[in-house]
Each structure stands twice: as C-alpha cells, then as structure tokens.
Amino acid sequence: IGGASAQGILVKGGNYLELLAKTETVVFDKTGTLTQGVFEVSSLNPAPGVTEHDLLEAAALAERHSGHPIAQSLRRALGADIDPSRVTDVREIPGHGVSALADGKRVLAGNEKLMKREGVRPLPCGAAGTIVHVAREGRYLGCAVISDQLKPTAPAAVKALKAQGIRTVMLTGDSEAVGRAVAGQLGLDEVHAQLLPADKVERLEALLERKSEKGVLAYVGDGVNDAPVLSRADVGIAMGAMGSDAAIEAADVVLMDDDPAKLGRAMEIARKCMRIVRENIVFALGVKALFLILGARGDVSMWGAVFADVGVAVIAIINATRMLKTK
C-alpha cells in the first residue's frame, strides 16, 4: 500500500489490493475517466428561423446554475456574463438534462430523451459528439454539438490492461455514435451507450454475472452518478483530482492524478505484492517445518531455533520491503 501511494495510487485496504491482483474485467465510465472532461462547443445547428446566438443563449441560460462540464462549455461559448436573475425555477432531470425558466419562458436543454419526454420533436444533428437539444416554450430551437478529447494516456492504459489479459468495457450516457467512436479509438472490447445512472447499475449487474467464479470486476469512474456503480463493483476505482467527493468516498482505490495509465500499474503492484506474500508464506512455513523435524530428532541447536523464529521473520520483512522500491 505504501509503494502504491508513492505513485499516487491510494488503496484503502489490503483486501482491495488482493482483489486487484485477480481482476479480469475493467469497466470504465467515459467522461472524466477516459476523456479529459474539458468540453468545447464544436458546432451549432439551429432550427429553421432560429439564429445561432438565440440557440446558444437559450442553452446557456438553462445551464446557468449547473456545474457540469457541458454546461460550462455552453456558457464559455456564449462569451457573455449571464444575469442570474434572468433564470429561475431550475430543475435538473437526472440522465436527461435541465429545465429552467429563462426570462419567464420555460427552456429545456438536454438529450433526445428529454425532448421526447416533453413532447418536443428533435431534429437529427448528424455529428459525433455530445448533443444538447434545446427547446423553448415547446418549440424546438436546435442542437449544440459538444466535443470532448481523450486523455493522452487513455490508449496506452487500455493497451496495458489488454496485455495483462483483462477485458475492457465502457458504460456511458452519451449517444451510441459517440460511445462507439471512443471505443473504436481506444480498442475497447465492449461498449454500452445511452445509459441512465440506474441503467449503469443494471448493466454492471449483468457483467458481474458473466465473470468467472474467482474473477474480479473493477469499475472506474469519477462522477456523482458513478457512486452507486463504484459501490456495487468488486473493486471501485475513482479519479481523485477531478472526481466528485461521492465517487471518492464510495471507491476502494483512488487514482490521485486522474491518470488512467495508473490502472495497469496498480494491478502490476497488486500482483507483485501477492507474489511476495506467497514467497514469504512458503519460505516461513517451509523453514519452520524443517526445524520442527530437526528439533524433534535433537539435531538442532538453540541458535537454530532462534533463526527459525526471529531470523525467518526478519528475512520475510526484508523481502516485503521490495514493494517500497517499485519504480
């Protein structure tokens, strides 16, 4: 645990280190875990008769009080300060989007499910990215396409896990097109998209049923919505720098610098630790068994008995300190 902590990998107990060594499936959240979580508006697609500025302003107003990276990107793109008094009665709809009164008019900003739920017919955007549909007073205004970039170390992280024989899966609330595009870039084995927080738990339950009897499933996430899934997985791994407090609290392992490449390293450390544990057990029991037999025959001195007791413990401790020198 000390050797892992020195590399920014916080393990909350020895039992989780042991489970990490047995991991056969790693399930990822997408935003903030495999991607940087830094969103930018890449295109605006207003409906007929609507200007780009009107579309963007309506979206930014609806997202005025949200701290989500997508909401922040919309406000940055508008490039103007929004008077908070213009926005009232804000309602966040988990897994769908947000509803708010902007200048006294009801504005909706969210995914396609939100539009259909509110009786608004969205138009296809035809672009890869996170799509935010916007409507005002029941009229569809258009959509904004927001893009996120992969973390530089994400491809190497997935490659390292697959080299260890670990299956990689991604669960995301984004569209099928975005999910498959990211999975293709990273070489993931499986992807499930358009999932609500409750859907992620259900999908994880299905993945848990598919693993082998002694295999371990680890989930990696960073957001508030990931907390239930982190708790349900055999091992929950949270991003510590940008991750929410709820995710960090629910996780068993925390990557303090949000680097997904540390995942493979954490599992290498866990496997090395278990090798040393087995070495020490076999060595200690073997030496003690030998000296018990020699002692019963009267062929061992007091100094031999001291070595079998104290000497073996000292050698085992010295062997264990190898973990502190992990590069």
Side-chain angles (χ1 to χ4, degrees), residues 109-152:
N111 56 24
E112 190 172 336
K113 292 180 181 178
L114 176 63
M115 296 294 113
K116 292 180 178 178
R117 167 179 160 166
E118 299 295 331
V120 178
R121 184 178 178 182
L123 299 176
C125 273
T130 299
I131 298 174
V132 178
H133 295 279
V134 184
R136 182 171 56 212
E137 293 291 300
R139 179 194 176 193
Y140 184 68
L141 299 182
C143 62
V145 181
I146 301 168
S147 301
D148 191 7
Q149 299 297 315
L150 289 176
K151 289 185 177 178

mmCIF file of all heavy atoms in Angstrom, residues 109-152:
data_model
loop_
_atom_site.group_PDB
_atom_site.id
_atom_site.type_symbol
_atom_site.label_atom_id
_atom_site.label_comp_id
_atom_site.label_asym_id
_atom_site.label_seq_id
_atom_site.Cartn_x
_atom_site.Cartn_y
_atom_site.Cartn_z
ATOM 1 N N ALA A 109 -32.997 21.956 -21.957
ATOM 2 C CA ALA A 109 -31.702 21.670 -22.573
ATOM 3 C C ALA A 109 -31.262 20.290 -22.107
ATOM 4 O O ALA A 109 -31.108 20.053 -20.901
ATOM 5 C CB ALA A 109 -30.666 22.718 -22.177
ATOM 6 N N GLY A 110 -31.080 19.390 -23.062
ATOM 7 C CA GLY A 110 -30.696 18.029 -22.682
ATOM 8 C C GLY A 110 -30.624 17.109 -23.876
ATOM 9 O O GLY A 110 -30.456 17.549 -25.021
ATOM 10 N N ASN A 111 -30.789 15.823 -23.608
ATOM 11 C CA ASN A 111 -30.669 14.846 -24.683
ATOM 12 C C ASN A 111 -32.005 14.618 -25.399
ATOM 13 O O ASN A 111 -33.026 15.236 -25.080
ATOM 14 C CB ASN A 111 -30.102 13.526 -24.141
ATOM 15 C CG ASN A 111 -30.938 12.973 -22.998
ATOM 16 O OD1 ASN A 111 -32.113 13.266 -22.868
ATOM 17 N ND2 ASN A 111 -30.314 12.163 -22.157
ATOM 18 N N GLU A 112 -31.982 13.700 -26.346
ATOM 19 C CA GLU A 112 -33.177 13.431 -27.150
ATOM 20 C C GLU A 112 -34.314 12.875 -26.286
ATOM 21 O O GLU A 112 -35.488 13.134 -26.549
ATOM 22 C CB GLU A 112 -32.801 12.437 -28.261
ATOM 23 C CG GLU A 112 -33.870 12.257 -29.315
ATOM 24 C CD GLU A 112 -33.392 11.424 -30.493
ATOM 25 O OE1 GLU A 112 -32.163 11.367 -30.719
ATOM 26 O OE2 GLU A 112 -34.245 10.837 -31.171
ATOM 27 N N LYS A 113 -33.943 12.109 -25.244
ATOM 28 C CA LYS A 113 -34.964 11.548 -24.354
ATOM 29 C C LYS A 113 -35.767 12.647 -23.672
ATOM 30 O O LYS A 113 -36.973 12.518 -23.482
ATOM 31 C CB LYS A 113 -34.302 10.656 -23.299
ATOM 32 C CG LYS A 113 -33.680 9.382 -23.849
ATOM 33 C CD LYS A 113 -33.041 8.575 -22.724
ATOM 34 C CE LYS A 113 -32.384 7.320 -23.256
ATOM 35 N NZ LYS A 113 -31.720 6.550 -22.169
ATOM 36 N N LEU A 114 -35.081 13.737 -23.289
ATOM 37 C CA LEU A 114 -35.767 14.846 -22.639
ATOM 38 C C LEU A 114 -36.769 15.491 -23.593
ATOM 39 O O LEU A 114 -37.899 15.812 -23.198
ATOM 40 C CB LEU A 114 -34.746 15.885 -22.155
ATOM 41 C CG LEU A 114 -35.334 17.160 -21.539
ATOM 42 C CD1 LEU A 114 -36.112 16.832 -20.274
ATOM 43 C CD2 LEU A 114 -34.229 18.173 -21.237
ATOM 44 N N MET A 115 -36.364 15.686 -24.836
ATOM 45 C CA MET A 115 -37.257 16.315 -25.814
ATOM 46 C C MET A 115 -38.519 15.471 -26.014
ATOM 47 O O MET A 115 -39.643 15.984 -25.987
ATOM 48 C CB MET A 115 -36.525 16.478 -27.160
ATOM 49 C CG MET A 115 -35.329 17.421 -27.123
ATOM 50 S SD MET A 115 -35.758 19.145 -26.790
ATOM 51 C CE MET A 115 -35.002 19.352 -25.162
ATOM 52 N N LYS A 116 -38.323 14.164 -26.195
ATOM 53 C CA LYS A 116 -39.470 13.282 -26.431
ATOM 54 C C LYS A 116 -40.367 13.208 -25.200
ATOM 55 O O LYS A 116 -41.585 13.126 -25.310
ATOM 56 C CB LYS A 116 -38.975 11.898 -26.826
ATOM 57 C CG LYS A 116 -38.307 11.879 -28.200
ATOM 58 C CD LYS A 116 -37.826 10.485 -28.580
ATOM 59 C CE LYS A 116 -37.216 10.494 -29.986
ATOM 60 N NZ LYS A 116 -36.696 9.160 -30.364
ATOM 61 N N ARG A 117 -39.731 13.230 -24.023
ATOM 62 C CA ARG A 117 -40.499 13.191 -22.776
ATOM 63 C C ARG A 117 -41.394 14.411 -22.642
ATOM 64 O O ARG A 117 -42.513 14.327 -22.110
ATOM 65 C CB ARG A 117 -39.524 13.108 -21.601
ATOM 66 C CG ARG A 117 -40.142 13.379 -20.249
ATOM 67 C CD ARG A 117 -39.120 13.262 -19.143
ATOM 68 N NE ARG A 117 -39.561 13.950 -17.950
ATOM 69 C CZ ARG A 117 -39.015 13.809 -16.766
ATOM 70 N NH1 ARG A 117 -37.987 13.007 -16.609
ATOM 71 N NH2 ARG A 117 -39.453 14.472 -15.715
ATOM 72 N N GLU A 118 -40.921 15.569 -23.136
ATOM 73 C CA GLU A 118 -41.671 16.816 -23.024
ATOM 74 C C GLU A 118 -42.515 17.110 -24.264
ATOM 75 O O GLU A 118 -43.056 18.208 -24.416
ATOM 76 C CB GLU A 118 -40.703 17.980 -22.772
ATOM 77 C CG GLU A 118 -39.894 17.847 -21.496
ATOM 78 C CD GLU A 118 -40.757 17.889 -20.244
ATOM 79 O OE1 GLU A 118 -41.825 18.551 -20.290
ATOM 80 O OE2 GLU A 118 -40.392 17.254 -19.232
ATOM 81 N N GLY A 119 -42.600 16.145 -25.182
ATOM 82 C CA GLY A 119 -43.440 16.309 -26.357
ATOM 83 C C GLY A 119 -42.867 17.186 -27.443
ATOM 84 O O GLY A 119 -43.598 17.718 -28.270
ATOM 85 N N VAL A 120 -41.537 17.341 -27.449
ATOM 86 C CA VAL A 120 -40.863 18.146 -28.470
ATOM 87 C C VAL A 120 -40.193 17.195 -29.462
ATOM 88 O O VAL A 120 -39.519 16.240 -29.059
ATOM 89 C CB VAL A 120 -39.815 19.082 -27.844
ATOM 90 C CG1 VAL A 120 -39.094 19.879 -28.930
ATOM 91 C CG2 VAL A 120 -40.473 20.016 -26.845
ATOM 92 N N ARG A 121 -40.343 17.467 -30.729
ATOM 93 C CA ARG A 121 -39.751 16.597 -31.756
ATOM 94 C C ARG A 121 -38.388 17.143 -32.173
ATOM 95 O O ARG A 121 -38.307 18.169 -32.859
ATOM 96 C CB ARG A 121 -40.668 16.525 -32.966
ATOM 97 C CG ARG A 121 -40.175 15.553 -34.035
ATOM 98 C CD ARG A 121 -41.155 15.484 -35.190
ATOM 99 N NE ARG A 121 -40.669 14.594 -36.231
ATOM 100 C CZ ARG A 121 -41.302 14.377 -37.381
ATOM 101 N NH1 ARG A 121 -42.455 15.002 -37.617
ATOM 102 N NH2 ARG A 121 -40.796 13.552 -38.286
ATOM 103 N N PRO A 122 -37.294 16.479 -31.768
ATOM 104 C CA PRO A 122 -35.955 16.975 -32.132
ATOM 105 C C PRO A 122 -35.588 16.605 -33.561
ATOM 106 O O PRO A 122 -36.115 15.639 -34.126
ATOM 107 C CB PRO A 122 -35.045 16.253 -31.133
ATOM 108 C CG PRO A 122 -35.755 14.967 -30.870
ATOM 109 C CD PRO A 122 -37.219 15.260 -30.936
ATOM 110 N N LEU A 123 -34.685 17.388 -34.143
ATOM 111 C CA LEU A 123 -34.174 17.094 -35.480
ATOM 112 C C LEU A 123 -32.808 16.416 -35.352
ATOM 113 O O LEU A 123 -32.066 16.674 -34.397
ATOM 114 C CB LEU A 123 -34.037 18.399 -36.294
ATOM 115 C CG LEU A 123 -35.336 19.175 -36.536
ATOM 116 C CD1 LEU A 123 -35.027 20.483 -37.259
ATOM 117 C CD2 LEU A 123 -36.313 18.331 -37.338
ATOM 118 N N PRO A 124 -32.449 15.533 -36.293
ATOM 119 C CA PRO A 124 -31.139 14.872 -36.219
ATOM 120 C C PRO A 124 -30.004 15.873 -36.421
ATOM 121 O O PRO A 124 -30.088 16.755 -37.276
ATOM 122 C CB PRO A 124 -31.193 13.849 -37.356
ATOM 123 C CG PRO A 124 -32.234 14.357 -38.301
ATOM 124 C CD PRO A 124 -33.237 15.075 -37.464
ATOM 125 N N CYS A 125 -28.963 15.727 -35.601
ATOM 126 C CA CYS A 125 -27.822 16.648 -35.713
ATOM 127 C C CYS A 125 -26.749 16.114 -36.660
ATOM 128 O O CYS A 125 -26.011 16.876 -37.266
ATOM 129 C CB CYS A 125 -27.210 16.901 -34.333
ATOM 130 S SG CYS A 125 -28.014 18.261 -33.463
ATOM 131 N N GLY A 126 -26.631 14.799 -36.745
ATOM 132 C CA GLY A 126 -25.691 14.197 -37.675
ATOM 133 C C GLY A 126 -24.241 14.510 -37.418
ATOM 134 O O GLY A 126 -23.473 14.723 -38.354
ATOM 135 N N ALA A 127 -23.844 14.593 -36.157
ATOM 136 C CA ALA A 127 -22.445 14.880 -35.819
ATOM 137 C C ALA A 127 -22.038 14.021 -34.631
ATOM 138 O O ALA A 127 -22.856 13.685 -33.777
ATOM 139 C CB ALA A 127 -22.262 16.357 -35.491
ATOM 140 N N ALA A 128 -20.750 13.661 -34.601
ATOM 141 C CA ALA A 128 -20.224 12.875 -33.489
ATOM 142 C C ALA A 128 -19.856 13.801 -32.347
ATOM 143 O O ALA A 128 -19.118 14.755 -32.532
ATOM 144 C CB ALA A 128 -19.013 12.071 -33.940
ATOM 145 N N GLY A 129 -20.384 13.523 -31.189
ATOM 146 C CA GLY A 129 -20.122 14.346 -30.021
ATOM 147 C C GLY A 129 -21.315 14.294 -29.081
ATOM 148 O O GLY A 129 -22.308 13.616 -29.356
ATOM 149 N N THR A 130 -21.198 15.002 -27.989
ATOM 150 C CA THR A 130 -22.327 15.090 -27.059
ATOM 151 C C THR A 130 -23.297 16.132 -27.597
ATOM 152 O O THR A 130 -22.933 17.284 -27.804
ATOM 153 C CB THR A 130 -21.838 15.496 -25.662
ATOM 154 O OG1 THR A 130 -20.929 14.504 -25.183
ATOM 155 C CG2 THR A 130 -23.009 15.608 -24.709
ATOM 156 N N ILE A 131 -24.533 15.719 -27.833
ATOM 157 C CA ILE A 131 -25.522 16.594 -28.448
ATOM 158 C C ILE A 131 -26.489 17.107 -27.394
ATOM 159 O O ILE A 131 -27.091 16.330 -26.650
ATOM 160 C CB ILE A 131 -26.286 15.855 -29.567
ATOM 161 C CG1 ILE A 131 -25.312 15.434 -30.675
ATOM 162 C CG2 ILE A 131 -27.396 16.729 -30.136
ATOM 163 C CD1 ILE A 131 -25.933 14.571 -31.746
ATOM 164 N N VAL A 132 -26.612 18.429 -27.318
ATOM 165 C CA VAL A 132 -27.551 19.075 -26.399
ATOM 166 C C VAL A 132 -28.673 19.687 -27.228
ATOM 167 O O VAL A 132 -28.448 20.631 -27.993
ATOM 168 C CB VAL A 132 -26.860 20.163 -25.552
ATOM 169 C CG1 VAL A 132 -27.878 20.858 -24.647
ATOM 170 C CG2 VAL A 132 -25.736 19.570 -24.722
ATOM 171 N N HIS A 133 -29.868 19.125 -27.102
ATOM 172 C CA HIS A 133 -31.047 19.675 -27.789
ATOM 173 C C HIS A 133 -31.661 20.768 -26.914
ATOM 174 O O HIS A 133 -31.659 20.666 -25.684
ATOM 175 C CB HIS A 133 -32.073 18.567 -28.039
ATOM 176 C CG HIS A 133 -31.600 17.508 -28.987
ATOM 177 N ND1 HIS A 133 -31.639 17.664 -30.355
ATOM 178 C CD2 HIS A 133 -31.056 16.278 -28.759
ATOM 179 C CE1 HIS A 133 -31.157 16.568 -30.936
ATOM 180 N NE2 HIS A 133 -30.797 15.719 -29.984
ATOM 181 N N VAL A 134 -32.184 21.801 -27.569
ATOM 182 C CA VAL A 134 -32.738 22.949 -26.839
ATOM 183 C C VAL A 134 -34.137 23.256 -27.362
ATOM 184 O O VAL A 134 -34.386 23.246 -28.572
ATOM 185 C CB VAL A 134 -31.842 24.204 -27.003
ATOM 186 C CG1 VAL A 134 -32.377 25.353 -26.159
ATOM 187 C CG2 VAL A 134 -30.400 23.887 -26.624
ATOM 188 N N ALA A 135 -35.049 23.510 -26.408
ATOM 189 C CA ALA A 135 -36.413 23.896 -26.772
ATOM 190 C C ALA A 135 -36.872 25.008 -25.836
ATOM 191 O O ALA A 135 -36.427 25.094 -24.691
ATOM 192 C CB ALA A 135 -37.352 22.703 -26.677
ATOM 193 N N ARG A 136 -37.761 25.868 -26.357
ATOM 194 C CA ARG A 136 -38.306 26.961 -25.539
ATOM 195 C C ARG A 136 -39.803 27.045 -25.752
ATOM 196 O O ARG A 136 -40.261 27.141 -26.904
ATOM 197 C CB ARG A 136 -37.629 28.285 -25.908
ATOM 198 C CG ARG A 136 -38.117 29.475 -25.059
ATOM 199 C CD ARG A 136 -37.262 30.704 -25.311
ATOM 200 N NE ARG A 136 -37.233 31.044 -26.728
ATOM 201 C CZ ARG A 136 -36.181 31.616 -27.338
ATOM 202 N NH1 ARG A 136 -35.094 31.914 -26.648
ATOM 203 N NH2 ARG A 136 -36.242 31.890 -28.631
ATOM 204 N N GLU A 137 -40.524 26.961 -24.649
ATOM 205 C CA GLU A 137 -41.986 27.017 -24.698
ATOM 206 C C GLU A 137 -42.555 26.011 -25.700
ATOM 207 O O GLU A 137 -43.470 26.320 -26.479
ATOM 208 C CB GLU A 137 -42.453 28.434 -25.065
ATOM 209 C CG GLU A 137 -42.159 29.479 -24.010
ATOM 210 C CD GLU A 137 -42.993 29.285 -22.741
ATOM 211 O OE1 GLU A 137 -44.221 29.316 -22.828
ATOM 212 O OE2 GLU A 137 -42.377 29.083 -21.667
ATOM 213 N N GLY A 138 -41.974 24.807 -25.715
ATOM 214 C CA GLY A 138 -42.461 23.742 -26.584
ATOM 215 C C GLY A 138 -41.969 23.810 -28.016
ATOM 216 O O GLY A 138 -42.271 22.921 -28.823
ATOM 217 N N ARG A 139 -41.201 24.866 -28.370
ATOM 218 C CA ARG A 139 -40.691 24.996 -29.737
ATOM 219 C C ARG A 139 -39.234 24.552 -29.776
ATOM 220 O O ARG A 139 -38.420 25.006 -28.979
ATOM 221 C CB ARG A 139 -40.796 26.450 -30.204
ATOM 222 C CG ARG A 139 -40.255 26.645 -31.626
ATOM 223 C CD ARG A 139 -40.059 28.112 -31.943
ATOM 224 N NE ARG A 139 -39.454 28.287 -33.267
ATOM 225 C CZ ARG A 139 -38.948 29.433 -33.704
ATOM 226 N NH1 ARG A 139 -38.994 30.517 -32.930
ATOM 227 N NH2 ARG A 139 -38.411 29.510 -34.913
ATOM 228 N N TYR A 140 -38.930 23.694 -30.739
ATOM 229 C CA TYR A 140 -37.562 23.194 -30.873
ATOM 230 C C TYR A 140 -36.663 24.274 -31.482
ATOM 231 O O TYR A 140 -36.976 24.819 -32.550
ATOM 232 C CB TYR A 140 -37.539 21.942 -31.753
ATOM 233 C CG TYR A 140 -36.175 21.294 -31.861
ATOM 234 C CD1 TYR A 140 -35.590 20.688 -30.760
ATOM 235 C CD2 TYR A 140 -35.483 21.287 -33.073
ATOM 236 C CE1 TYR A 140 -34.344 20.083 -30.856
ATOM 237 C CE2 TYR A 140 -34.251 20.685 -33.176
ATOM 238 C CZ TYR A 140 -33.683 20.093 -32.060
ATOM 239 O OH TYR A 140 -32.440 19.502 -32.150
ATOM 240 N N LEU A 141 -35.546 24.604 -30.794
ATOM 241 C CA LEU A 141 -34.643 25.651 -31.272
ATOM 242 C C LEU A 141 -33.436 25.115 -32.025
ATOM 243 O O LEU A 141 -32.806 25.847 -32.796
ATOM 244 C CB LEU A 141 -34.141 26.487 -30.079
ATOM 245 C CG LEU A 141 -35.198 27.218 -29.255
ATOM 246 C CD1 LEU A 141 -34.526 28.026 -28.148
ATOM 247 C CD2 LEU A 141 -36.059 28.116 -30.135
ATOM 248 N N GLY A 142 -33.076 23.855 -31.792
ATOM 249 C CA GLY A 142 -31.916 23.289 -32.471
ATOM 250 C C GLY A 142 -31.048 22.523 -31.484
ATOM 251 O O GLY A 142 -31.466 22.208 -30.361
ATOM 252 N N CYS A 143 -29.815 22.234 -31.899
ATOM 253 C CA CYS A 143 -28.923 21.468 -31.033
ATOM 254 C C CYS A 143 -27.495 22.006 -31.119
ATOM 255 O O CYS A 143 -27.084 22.581 -32.125
ATOM 256 C CB CYS A 143 -28.944 19.983 -31.397
ATOM 257 S SG CYS A 143 -28.367 19.621 -33.063
ATOM 258 N N ALA A 144 -26.782 21.802 -30.034
ATOM 259 C CA ALA A 144 -25.363 22.154 -29.977
ATOM 260 C C ALA A 144 -24.564 20.865 -29.848
ATOM 261 O O ALA A 144 -24.929 19.979 -29.065
ATOM 262 C CB ALA A 144 -25.091 23.075 -28.787
ATOM 263 N N VAL A 145 -23.490 20.757 -30.618
ATOM 264 C CA VAL A 145 -22.625 19.577 -30.562
ATOM 265 C C VAL A 145 -21.388 19.931 -29.753
ATOM 266 O O VAL A 145 -20.690 20.907 -30.050
ATOM 267 C CB VAL A 145 -22.224 19.106 -31.982
ATOM 268 C CG1 VAL A 145 -21.352 17.857 -31.892
ATOM 269 C CG2 VAL A 145 -23.473 18.822 -32.809
ATOM 270 N N ILE A 146 -21.143 19.171 -28.710
ATOM 271 C CA ILE A 146 -20.040 19.440 -27.790
ATOM 272 C C ILE A 146 -19.085 18.262 -27.811
ATOM 273 O O ILE A 146 -19.495 17.104 -27.652
ATOM 274 C CB ILE A 146 -20.571 19.686 -26.366
ATOM 275 C CG1 ILE A 146 -21.526 20.884 -26.401
ATOM 276 C CG2 ILE A 146 -19.452 19.931 -25.387
ATOM 277 C CD1 ILE A 146 -22.323 21.077 -25.162
ATOM 278 N N SER A 147 -17.813 18.551 -28.019
ATOM 279 C CA SER A 147 -16.806 17.501 -28.160
ATOM 280 C C SER A 147 -15.885 17.451 -26.946
ATOM 281 O O SER A 147 -15.579 18.481 -26.336
ATOM 282 C CB SER A 147 -15.972 17.733 -29.425
ATOM 283 O OG SER A 147 -16.805 17.753 -30.568
ATOM 284 N N ASP A 148 -15.468 16.256 -26.624
ATOM 285 C CA ASP A 148 -14.529 16.018 -25.535
ATOM 286 C C ASP A 148 -13.321 15.288 -26.114
ATOM 287 O O ASP A 148 -13.448 14.547 -27.085
ATOM 288 C CB ASP A 148 -15.200 15.161 -24.454
ATOM 289 C CG ASP A 148 -14.387 15.084 -23.171
ATOM 290 O OD1 ASP A 148 -13.381 15.802 -23.067
ATOM 291 O OD2 ASP A 148 -14.761 14.299 -22.287
ATOM 292 N N GLN A 149 -12.152 15.505 -25.540
ATOM 293 C CA GLN A 149 -10.927 14.891 -26.043
ATOM 294 C C GLN A 149 -10.489 13.750 -25.128
ATOM 295 O O GLN A 149 -10.645 13.808 -23.914
ATOM 296 C CB GLN A 149 -9.807 15.939 -26.121
ATOM 297 C CG GLN A 149 -10.117 17.103 -27.045
ATOM 298 C CD GLN A 149 -10.293 16.672 -28.480
ATOM 299 O OE1 GLN A 149 -9.519 15.885 -29.002
ATOM 300 N NE2 GLN A 149 -11.328 17.196 -29.129
ATOM 301 N N LEU A 150 -9.928 12.710 -25.748
ATOM 302 C CA LEU A 150 -9.385 11.600 -24.971
ATOM 303 C C LEU A 150 -8.206 12.068 -24.126
ATOM 304 O O LEU A 150 -7.462 12.959 -24.526
ATOM 305 C CB LEU A 150 -8.905 10.476 -25.895
ATOM 306 C CG LEU A 150 -9.964 9.658 -26.634
ATOM 307 C CD1 LEU A 150 -9.272 8.674 -27.571
ATOM 308 C CD2 LEU A 150 -10.858 8.920 -25.666
ATOM 309 N N LYS A 151 -8.041 11.475 -22.963
ATOM 310 C CA LYS A 151 -6.836 11.731 -22.179
ATOM 311 C C LYS A 151 -5.644 11.145 -22.927
ATOM 312 O O LYS A 151 -5.756 10.061 -23.524
ATOM 313 C CB LYS A 151 -6.957 11.092 -20.794
ATOM 314 C CG LYS A 151 -7.953 11.801 -19.890
ATOM 315 C CD LYS A 151 -7.957 11.207 -18.496
ATOM 316 C CE LYS A 151 -8.901 11.986 -17.582
ATOM 317 N NZ LYS A 151 -8.957 11.413 -16.227
ATOM 318 N N PRO A 152 -4.510 11.831 -22.926
ATOM 319 C CA PRO A 152 -3.356 11.359 -23.709
ATOM 320 C C PRO A 152 -2.922 9.941 -23.364
ATOM 321 O O PRO A 152 -2.439 9.202 -24.230
ATOM 322 C CB PRO A 152 -2.253 12.379 -23.342
ATOM 323 C CG PRO A 152 -2.994 13.602 -22.908
ATOM 324 C CD PRO A 152 -4.245 13.112 -22.249
#
